[in-house]
Amino acid sequence: MNIPKILVGDVLELKKKHPCGSTRFTVLRIGSDIRIVCEGCGRDMVLPREKLEHAIRKIHSAEAADPSKEHS
């Protein structure tokens, strides 16, 4: 079984759409439950980690998108 590495700030693309039509959610808090916020309407929700891991289609890492993390 492949366990996805989820970090605060990551953007998750889920399999099912939110009622507002968006499939992208930003991770706010991680633990046994994961707190995410919809990028479409701003709705905040808390889901059990196991349920959320099955719903993930793709993870857009916050580290890859943040140019301030690069060193010169």
Side-chain angles (χ1 to χ4, degrees):
M1 179 174 194
N2 188 13
I3 300 172
K5 179 140 174 111
I6 303 170
L7 301 172
V8 173
D10 286 352
V11 176
L12 307 178
E13 190 173 325
L14 302 184
K15 294 175 185 174
K16 288 182 72 177
K17 289 184 178 182
H18 190 247
C20 73
S22 178
T23 58
R24 294 173 58 96
F25 297 82
T26 304
V27 177
L28 298 179
R29 186 181 61 84
I30 54 175
S32 60
D33 291 330
I34 298 178
R35 185 174 170 203
I36 58 176
V37 63
C38 177
E39 287 192 350
C41 64
R43 176 73 179 206
D44 188 320
M45 59 194 101
V46 178
L47 298 171
R49 176 183 286 271
E50 186 176 328
K51 183 176 180 179
L52 184 63
E53 286 175 352
H54 291 295
I56 296 172
R57 177 168 293 175
K58 188 172 183 182
I59 299 174
H60 302 278
S61 178
E63 292 177 357
D66 189 0
S68 66
K69 301 282 184 186
E70 295 177 10
H71 57 84
S72 25

